[in-house]
Amino acid sequence: MAAVMKKYITADELKNHDKAGDLWISIQGKGYDVSDWVKDHPGGNFPIMSLACQEVTDAFVAFHPASTWKILHQFFTGYYLKDYHVSEVSKDYRKLVHEFSKMGLFEKKGHIEFVTL
Ligand code: HEM
């Protein structure tokens, strides 16, 4: 059986997908086409537009509940980011988020309610 060839995009090529209508981002080294999604994004279009055509894993981790990972696949382009590299700082950050999640610290969303006396 022939081996399935992975398709790659370079960071420079990713930069071509930087505008409304042709908008890609990379999360954990996988290219996602968010051209249509940006209009429906619950966080609005600004956060995605400002990180257009970049590797955005840490921002994605910072702003989303774990359930969001489950809807990502529908935007996958089939392309993997060439030379995807995770910095030591990002590794530490992701490890920390993982540990905090296991402790249940991210289960509730929202702000502390102020009690009027
Ligand atoms: C394919 C990519 C993305 C998907 C599928 C996605 C999906 C979502 C979903 C489902 C929510 C609502 C989460 C909830 O229930 O609280 C959300 C909120 C949000 N997203 Fe994204 N998102 C994407 C990319 C991004 C990027 C790149 C940023 C950049 C920082 C971003 C920033 C935010 C922010 C700021 C919110 C609002 C968070 C809040 O209300 O606390 N998103 N996104």
Side-chain angles (χ1 to χ4, degrees):
M1 201 168 81
V4 180
M5 294 286 284
K6 255 185 164 183
K7 294 190 291 181
Y8 288 97
I9 184 171
T10 65
D12 272 353
E13 286 162 349
L14 185 64
K15 297 262 176 287
N16 294 326
H17 305 279
D18 64 343
K19 51 193 113 29
D22 182 13
L23 195 63
W24 288 25
I25 51 176
S26 157
I27 297 172
Q28 284 197 322
K30 289 169 83 172
Y32 293 96
D33 182 345
V34 288
S35 308
D36 292 329
W37 169 248
V38 72
K39 300 180 212 100
D40 302 325
H41 180 230
N45 66 355
F46 182 76
I48 297 188
M49 289 304 290
S50 54
L51 292 175
C53 71
Q54 296 181 45
E55 218 305 310
V56 304
T57 307
D58 289 337
F60 188 83
V61 168
F63 287 106
H64 300 94
S67 55
T68 314
W69 288 97
K70 298 194 188 115
I71 61 169
L72 263 186
H73 63 92
Q74 57 189 296
F75 308 109
F76 184 46
T77 58
Y79 284 89
Y80 292 82
L81 188 63
K82 205 159 185 235
D83 302 326
Y84 172 60
H85 167 81
V86 185
S87 72
E88 291 305 311
V89 173
S90 286
K91 274 185 205 159
D92 283 350
Y93 170 68
R94 292 174 203 179
K95 215 182 293 170
L96 205 58
V97 171
H98 183 66
E99 290 304 319
F100 285 173
S101 299
K102 279 203 305 200
M103 290 162 75
L105 297 180
F106 292 139
E107 276 166 21
K108 287 261 190 307
K109 194 183 163 195
H111 303 279
I112 295 165
E113 281 178 33
F114 288 97
V115 180
T116 324
L117 295 173

Short mmCIF file of all heavy atoms in Angstrom, two decimals, residues 25 27 34 37 41-43 47-48 51 56 59-60 63-65 68 71-72 75 109, ligand 1:
data_model
loop_
_atom_site.label_atom_id
_atom_site.label_comp_id
_atom_site.label_asym_id
_atom_site.label_seq_id
_atom_site.Cartn_x
_atom_site.Cartn_y
_atom_site.Cartn_z
N ILE A 25 -5.02 30.12 9.35
CA ILE A 25 -4.19 30.18 10.55
C ILE A 25 -3.61 28.78 10.77
O ILE A 25 -4.11 27.81 10.17
CB ILE A 25 -4.99 30.61 11.80
CG1 ILE A 25 -6.25 29.73 11.95
CG2 ILE A 25 -5.34 32.09 11.78
CD1 ILE A 25 -7.04 30.02 13.22
N ILE A 27 -2.74 25.97 13.78
CA ILE A 27 -2.87 25.58 15.19
C ILE A 27 -2.19 24.23 15.34
O ILE A 27 -2.50 23.29 14.60
CB ILE A 27 -4.36 25.52 15.63
CG1 ILE A 27 -5.00 26.91 15.51
CG2 ILE A 27 -4.48 24.98 17.06
CD1 ILE A 27 -6.49 26.95 15.73
N VAL A 34 -10.05 29.65 7.79
CA VAL A 34 -11.11 30.24 8.60
C VAL A 34 -11.83 31.38 7.85
O VAL A 34 -12.45 32.23 8.46
CB VAL A 34 -10.57 30.74 9.97
CG1 VAL A 34 -10.24 29.57 10.86
CG2 VAL A 34 -9.34 31.63 9.82
N TRP A 37 -15.49 30.98 8.54
CA TRP A 37 -15.74 30.88 9.99
C TRP A 37 -15.61 32.23 10.69
O TRP A 37 -16.30 32.51 11.66
CB TRP A 37 -14.78 29.85 10.60
CG TRP A 37 -14.76 29.84 12.09
CD1 TRP A 37 -13.75 30.23 12.91
CD2 TRP A 37 -15.82 29.43 12.98
NE1 TRP A 37 -14.09 30.08 14.23
CE2 TRP A 37 -15.37 29.60 14.28
CE3 TRP A 37 -17.12 28.95 12.77
CZ2 TRP A 37 -16.15 29.29 15.40
CZ3 TRP A 37 -17.90 28.65 13.88
CH2 TRP A 37 -17.41 28.82 15.16
N HIS A 41 -17.58 33.40 14.05
CA HIS A 41 -16.78 33.18 15.26
C HIS A 41 -17.40 33.87 16.48
O HIS A 41 -17.62 35.08 16.46
CB HIS A 41 -15.36 33.71 15.00
CG HIS A 41 -14.43 33.55 16.15
ND1 HIS A 41 -13.66 34.56 16.66
CD2 HIS A 41 -14.14 32.45 16.90
CE1 HIS A 41 -12.94 34.11 17.65
NE2 HIS A 41 -13.20 32.82 17.82
N PRO A 42 -17.69 33.13 17.56
CA PRO A 42 -18.32 33.73 18.75
C PRO A 42 -17.46 34.84 19.36
O PRO A 42 -17.99 35.72 20.04
CB PRO A 42 -18.47 32.56 19.71
CG PRO A 42 -18.38 31.33 18.88
CD PRO A 42 -17.51 31.67 17.72
N GLY A 43 -16.17 34.80 19.14
CA GLY A 43 -15.28 35.84 19.68
C GLY A 43 -15.15 37.04 18.73
O GLY A 43 -14.32 37.91 18.96
N PRO A 47 -10.18 39.15 16.76
CA PRO A 47 -9.04 38.34 17.21
C PRO A 47 -8.45 37.49 16.08
O PRO A 47 -7.23 37.35 15.98
CB PRO A 47 -9.62 37.45 18.31
CG PRO A 47 -10.98 37.94 18.60
CD PRO A 47 -11.41 38.84 17.50
N ILE A 48 -9.30 36.95 15.23
CA ILE A 48 -8.78 36.08 14.16
C ILE A 48 -8.09 36.93 13.08
O ILE A 48 -7.00 36.59 12.63
CB ILE A 48 -9.91 35.22 13.53
CG1 ILE A 48 -10.49 34.28 14.60
CG2 ILE A 48 -9.37 34.40 12.36
CD1 ILE A 48 -11.46 33.24 14.10
N LEU A 51 -4.62 37.92 13.89
CA LEU A 51 -3.61 36.85 13.92
C LEU A 51 -3.60 36.07 12.60
O LEU A 51 -3.08 34.97 12.53
CB LEU A 51 -3.88 35.90 15.08
CG LEU A 51 -3.69 36.49 16.48
CD1 LEU A 51 -4.11 35.50 17.54
CD2 LEU A 51 -2.23 36.89 16.69
N VAL A 56 -1.03 30.21 15.70
CA VAL A 56 -1.76 30.88 16.79
C VAL A 56 -2.09 29.95 17.97
O VAL A 56 -2.97 30.27 18.76
CB VAL A 56 -3.08 31.49 16.24
CG1 VAL A 56 -2.82 32.43 15.10
CG2 VAL A 56 -4.08 30.41 15.81
N ALA A 59 -2.55 31.47 21.51
CA ALA A 59 -3.74 32.33 21.62
C ALA A 59 -4.99 31.46 21.65
O ALA A 59 -5.93 31.70 22.43
CB ALA A 59 -3.80 33.32 20.46
N PHE A 60 -5.00 30.43 20.82
CA PHE A 60 -6.15 29.53 20.76
C PHE A 60 -6.35 28.85 22.12
O PHE A 60 -7.46 28.79 22.65
CB PHE A 60 -5.94 28.49 19.66
CG PHE A 60 -7.16 27.65 19.41
CD1 PHE A 60 -8.19 28.10 18.59
CD2 PHE A 60 -7.30 26.41 20.01
CE1 PHE A 60 -9.33 27.34 18.38
CE2 PHE A 60 -8.44 25.64 19.81
CZ PHE A 60 -9.45 26.11 19.00
N PHE A 63 -7.77 31.36 24.88
CA PHE A 63 -9.12 31.93 24.83
C PHE A 63 -10.27 30.95 24.72
O PHE A 63 -11.42 31.37 24.72
CB PHE A 63 -9.21 32.91 23.65
CG PHE A 63 -8.47 34.19 23.90
CD1 PHE A 63 -7.27 34.45 23.27
CD2 PHE A 63 -8.98 35.12 24.80
CE1 PHE A 63 -6.58 35.63 23.52
CE2 PHE A 63 -8.30 36.30 25.04
CZ PHE A 63 -7.10 36.56 24.40
N HIS A 64 -9.96 29.66 24.59
CA HIS A 64 -11.06 28.73 24.32
C HIS A 64 -11.18 27.62 25.35
O HIS A 64 -10.18 27.10 25.82
CB HIS A 64 -10.88 28.09 22.94
CG HIS A 64 -10.86 29.09 21.83
ND1 HIS A 64 -9.70 29.62 21.34
CD2 HIS A 64 -11.87 29.68 21.16
CE1 HIS A 64 -9.99 30.49 20.39
NE2 HIS A 64 -11.30 30.56 20.26
N PRO A 65 -12.44 27.21 25.60
CA PRO A 65 -12.63 26.01 26.43
C PRO A 65 -12.18 24.78 25.64
O PRO A 65 -12.12 24.83 24.39
CB PRO A 65 -14.15 25.99 26.67
CG PRO A 65 -14.75 26.82 25.60
CD PRO A 65 -13.71 27.80 25.16
N THR A 68 -13.68 23.43 22.27
CA THR A 68 -13.47 24.07 20.96
C THR A 68 -12.57 23.23 20.05
O THR A 68 -12.70 23.28 18.83
CB THR A 68 -12.87 25.48 21.14
OG1 THR A 68 -13.60 26.14 22.16
CG2 THR A 68 -12.96 26.28 19.87
N ILE A 71 -14.26 21.13 17.26
CA ILE A 71 -14.85 21.64 16.02
C ILE A 71 -13.78 22.08 15.00
O ILE A 71 -14.08 22.45 13.88
CB ILE A 71 -15.84 22.80 16.27
CG1 ILE A 71 -15.16 24.01 16.94
CG2 ILE A 71 -17.02 22.34 17.10
CD1 ILE A 71 -16.05 25.25 16.94
N LEU A 72 -12.52 22.00 15.43
CA LEU A 72 -11.44 22.46 14.56
C LEU A 72 -11.32 21.70 13.24
O LEU A 72 -11.05 22.29 12.20
CB LEU A 72 -10.11 22.33 15.29
CG LEU A 72 -9.54 23.56 15.99
CD1 LEU A 72 -8.16 23.23 16.53
CD2 LEU A 72 -9.49 24.74 15.05
N PHE A 75 -12.19 22.76 9.64
CA PHE A 75 -11.49 23.84 8.94
C PHE A 75 -10.12 23.42 8.41
O PHE A 75 -9.42 24.22 7.79
CB PHE A 75 -11.33 25.06 9.88
CG PHE A 75 -12.62 25.50 10.51
CD1 PHE A 75 -12.86 25.30 11.87
CD2 PHE A 75 -13.62 26.08 9.75
CE1 PHE A 75 -14.05 25.69 12.45
CE2 PHE A 75 -14.82 26.47 10.32
CZ PHE A 75 -15.04 26.28 11.67
N LYS A 109 -16.97 29.47 33.41
CA LYS A 109 -16.58 30.63 32.64
C LYS A 109 -17.32 31.85 33.18
O LYS A 109 -18.37 31.73 33.76
CB LYS A 109 -16.98 30.39 31.19
CG LYS A 109 -16.36 31.35 30.27
CD LYS A 109 -16.85 31.11 28.86
CE LYS A 109 -16.54 32.34 28.05
NZ LYS A 109 -17.26 32.34 26.81
C1 HEM B 1 -10.59 27.78 13.77
C2 HEM B 1 -10.27 28.64 14.71
C3 HEM B 1 -11.19 29.02 15.83
C4 HEM B 1 -12.34 28.41 16.27
C5 HEM B 1 -12.98 27.12 15.74
C6 HEM B 1 -12.83 29.20 17.37
C7 HEM B 1 -13.98 28.91 18.09
C8 HEM B 1 -14.46 29.65 19.14
C9 HEM B 1 -15.61 29.29 19.94
C10 HEM B 1 -16.47 28.02 19.77
C11 HEM B 1 -15.77 30.26 20.87
C12 HEM B 1 -16.82 30.30 21.99
C13 HEM B 1 -16.21 29.60 23.17
C14 HEM B 1 -17.10 29.52 24.38
O1 HEM B 1 -18.08 28.79 24.36
O2 HEM B 1 -16.76 30.17 25.36
C15 HEM B 1 -14.72 31.24 20.65
C16 HEM B 1 -14.55 32.39 21.41
C17 HEM B 1 -13.46 33.22 21.30
N1 HEM B 1 -12.38 33.07 20.45
FE1 HEM B 1 -12.20 31.70 19.01
N2 HEM B 1 -12.00 30.26 17.60
C18 HEM B 1 -10.98 30.18 16.68
C19 HEM B 1 -9.89 31.02 16.56
C20 HEM B 1 -9.60 32.04 17.42
C21 HEM B 1 -8.40 32.80 17.40
C22 HEM B 1 -7.22 32.61 16.43
C23 HEM B 1 -8.49 33.71 18.38
C24 HEM B 1 -7.41 34.68 18.72
C25 HEM B 1 -7.09 35.02 19.91
C26 HEM B 1 -9.78 33.54 19.03
C27 HEM B 1 -10.27 34.28 20.09
C28 HEM B 1 -11.48 34.08 20.70
C29 HEM B 1 -12.02 34.95 21.75
C30 HEM B 1 -11.33 36.19 22.32
C31 HEM B 1 -13.24 34.41 22.11
C32 HEM B 1 -14.21 34.93 23.18
C33 HEM B 1 -13.79 34.30 24.48
C34 HEM B 1 -14.75 34.62 25.61
O3 HEM B 1 -15.90 34.96 25.36
O4 HEM B 1 -14.30 34.43 26.73
N3 HEM B 1 -10.43 32.49 18.42
N4 HEM B 1 -13.94 30.83 19.61
#
